[in-house]
């Protein structure tokens, strides 16, 4: 987890200078994000529970098109599910590294699904990531009985790029006009931690080289209209269910979370919003996912649990 945290700091520093002549190149991105693809071996409470690991959700898929399912202990189990979509700048990240985050919710009785998806490589792009998420959600719905999961009590969460994917899936589950959508999945609520939101705007960053843009955005990074079809902001009015959003002072994409709040306010819809103020630099991007022991992280995760408990009633 420390390796992941330091990687995120490096990314945030470079993104902070995107307004100057310095260019973030693909090799730089690859070097910074390499740590997020290393699976943490730190023990987690989740490891002690009943689980199904590396469950494939597409026939003949890749090693990335799988999910891990953890079941809450019988004495506390709520018969409800949290589906977690990891972040990683669209080009990295591993589901297993969110076991500590999953443990917070498993202790409170929620089953947890950690979802993996194919990351961008300059050939595949965000449309493939969204397609994988849609396939995984439909698989969970179709096989809920044999997996011993309650398809009618499922919540979605995602951090950073995973927040983009989670919100888009929630929107698409209610709006058949979206080009990539789950066909049968429904959620009780979606929770976003330091999310990416206005995806199309990322391609306008002058601080990235063309090769870097083509890698983390995809080969069609110049096609604004296409990018808008993959952007949650384009369809925020499509999702009418409960919505939770967290950010913090040192979140390098804090403006994205603030934009969600502003758009929801304009639409006259309620969002459970938390913006953590702290001088502690550890309380930064997705702090509650990568460092659950911080007091500020506990505050965010407690609010998430309250949001979910309310959604069950």
């Amino acid at each position: 987890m420390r390796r992941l945290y330091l990687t995120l700091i490096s990314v945030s520093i470079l993104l902070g200078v995107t307004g100057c002549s310095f260019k973030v190149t693909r090799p730089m991105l690859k070097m910074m994000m390499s740590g997020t693809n290393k699976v943490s071996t730190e023990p987690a409470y989740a490891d002690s529970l009943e689980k199904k690991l590396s469950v494939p959700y597409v026939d003949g898929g890749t090693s990335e098109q799988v999910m891990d399912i953890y079941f809450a202990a019988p004495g506390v189990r709520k018969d409800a599910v949290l589906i977690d979509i990891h972040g990683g700048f669209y080009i990295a990240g591993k589901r297993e590294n969110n076991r500590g985050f999953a443990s917070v919710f498993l202790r409170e009785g929620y089953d947890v699904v950690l979802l993996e998806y194919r990351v961008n490589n300059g050939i595949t792009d965000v449309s493939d990531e969204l397609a994988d998420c849609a396939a995984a959600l439909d698989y969970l719905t179709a096989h809920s009985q044999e997996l011993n999961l309650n398809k009618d009590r499922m919540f979605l969460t995602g951090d950073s790029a995973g927040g983009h994917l989670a919100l888009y899936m929630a929107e698409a589950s209610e709006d058949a006009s979206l080009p990539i959508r789950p066909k049968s999945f429904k959620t009780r609520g979606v929770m976003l931690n330091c999310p990416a939101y206005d995806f199309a705007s990322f391609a306008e960053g002058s601080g990235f080289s063309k090769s870097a843009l083509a890698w983390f955005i995809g080969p069609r990074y110049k096609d604004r209209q296409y990018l808008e079809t993959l952007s949650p902001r384009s369809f925020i009015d499509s999702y009418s269910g409960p919505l939770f959003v967290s950010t913090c002072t040192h979140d390098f994409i804090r403006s994205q979370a603030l934009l969600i709040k502003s758009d929801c306010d304009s639409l006259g819809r309620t969002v459970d919003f938390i913006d953590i103020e702290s001088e502690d630099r550890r309380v930064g991007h997705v702090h509650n996912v990568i460092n659950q022991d911080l007091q500020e992280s506990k505050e965010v995760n407690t609010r998430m649990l309250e949001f979910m408990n309310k959604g069950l009633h």
Side-chain angles (χ1 to χ4, degrees), residues 173-244:
S173 70
E174 295 191 8
D175 187 345
S177 71
L178 271 70
I180 305 169
R181 60 187 301 266
K183 296 180 175 59
S184 55
F185 173 80
K186 298 295 180 184
T187 182
R188 285 291 187 102
V190 60
M191 295 167 288
L192 314 174
N193 292 302
C194 305
Y197 173 59
D198 187 12
F199 176 67
S201 67
F202 291 159
E204 300 167 357
S206 59
F208 293 98
S209 69
K210 292 181 180 179
S211 65
L213 287 171
W215 193 29
F216 84 86
I217 296 290
R220 295 178 66 177
Y221 71 91
K222 293 182 180 179
D223 187 341
R224 174 83 188 197
Q225 184 175 359
Y226 169 70
L227 297 184
E228 286 180 348
T229 69
L230 305 179
S231 177
R233 192 181 188 196
S234 301
F235 308 100
I236 188 60
D237 58 343
S238 297
Y239 176 65
S240 61
L243 177 62
F244 171 97

Side-chain angles (χ1 to χ4, degrees), residues 15-122:
L15 288 179
V17 296
T18 54
C20 67
S21 59
F22 181 82
K23 291 286 185 180
V24 179
T25 64
R26 174 172 172 165
M28 290 177 186
L29 276 178
K30 186 173 184 179
M31 176 186 68
M32 288 187 296
M33 300 308 296
S34 62
T36 64
N37 280 329
K38 298 182 186 302
V39 176
S40 171
T41 57
E42 295 177 16
Y45 170 71
D47 300 331
S48 67
L49 299 173
E50 179 188 354
K51 51 194 170 291
K52 298 178 185 291
L53 302 180
S54 301
V55 178
Y57 54 80
V58 294
D59 292 334
T62 71
S63 60
E64 295 174 301
Q65 293 172 302
V66 298
M67 64 183 81
D68 292 342
I69 304 171
Y70 295 87
F71 300 92
V76 299
R77 194 174 186 222
K78 295 180 183 293
D79 193 31
V81 188
L82 175 63
I83 303 166
D84 174 64
I85 304 176
H86 70 78
F89 214 60
Y90 302 101
I91 57 177
K94 300 297 291 184
R95 69 192 185 281
E96 298 98 325
N97 287 330
N98 281 15
R99 288 158 31 253
F101 178 64
S103 296
V104 173
F105 301 90
L106 286 161
R107 290 184 186 277
E108 298 299 322
Y110 288 94
D111 300 330
V112 178
V113 176
L114 300 181
L115 196 160
E116 189 95 354
Y117 52 89
R118 291 171 294 168
V119 295
N120 291 359
N121 58 14

